[in-house]
């Protein structure tokens, strides 16, 4: 019962949200564990190759609890519907793969007034990827508050 990531191991981020991006209520995190080899072969597992070429395996426990010898290393956000399917499935490796491929949902939160000014100037509300600060995305470039800004 193993899913293999091609192209390397993902970075495990424990993201709970920040000022503008929060995890959508339709999303739930499942826990990833590292367990001694052979300890619990019944739980779904995710395997991947690290940059040094070694194989890394994470256990994902659905409705069962991990052994005391396993240690939590992070979480993966998934749609609640995918998590429920994982808990109920007899084909957990295939269900886990499909759940990971579906991804998860996030919400972007911004002050309504600022976004209204941007939208009324034919812009789209967004943020700067480097600073996470609000930017009004216009046809020529991003602006601080609206497409009529004199400063970019």
């Amino acid at each position: 019962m193993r899913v293999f990531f091609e192209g390397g191991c993902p970075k495990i981020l424990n993201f709970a949200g920040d000022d503008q991006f929060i995890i959508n209520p339709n999303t739930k995190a499942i826990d990833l564990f590292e367990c001694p080899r052979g300890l619990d072969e019944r739980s779904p597992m995710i395997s991947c190759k690290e940059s040094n070429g070694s194989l890394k395996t994470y256990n994902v426990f659905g409705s069962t609890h991990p052994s005391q010898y396993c240690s939590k290393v992070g979480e993966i956000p998934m749609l609640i519907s995918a998590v429920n399917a994982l808990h109920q499935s007899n084909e957990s490796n295939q269900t886990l793969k499909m759940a990971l491929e579906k991804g998860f949902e996030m919400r972007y939160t911004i002050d309504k007034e600022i976004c209204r000014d941007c939208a009324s100037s034919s812009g789209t509300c967004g943020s700067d990827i480097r600073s996470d600060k609000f930017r009004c995305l216009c046809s020529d470039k991003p602006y601080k508050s609206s497409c009529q800004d004199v400063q970019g």
Side-chain angles (χ1 to χ4, degrees), residues 41-59:
E41 296 291 328
R42 292 169 292 136
S43 73
M45 290 180 262
I46 300 170
S47 295
C48 56
K49 280 198 178 171
E50 295 185 294
S51 58
N52 65 6
S54 65
L55 188 67
K56 185 80 164 175
T57 300
Y58 299 105
N59 291 67

Side-chain angles (χ1 to χ4, degrees), residues 90-151:
N90 291 334
E91 290 292 324
S92 55
N93 67 329
Q94 191 63 22
T95 307
L96 178 59
K97 183 176 185 216
M98 290 186 322
L100 293 171
E101 288 172 349
K102 283 184 180 181
F104 61 97
E105 296 177 0
M106 295 186 75
R107 281 191 178 164
Y108 179 73
T109 307
I110 194 71
D111 184 292
K112 290 178 186 176
E113 203 170 299
I114 293 173
C115 202
R116 193 176 314 123
D117 291 344
C118 173
S120 67
S121 70
S122 300
T124 302
C125 295
S127 64
D128 183 322
I129 196 165
R130 293 172 299 242
S131 67
D132 285 336
K133 292 188 179 187
F134 173 81
R135 292 292 179 255
C136 183
L137 308 176
C138 304
S139 59
D140 59 341
K141 64 179 184 177
Y143 289 90
K144 288 186 179 177
S145 61
S146 73
C147 294
Q148 283 88 28
D149 276 354
V150 289
Q151 314 144 343

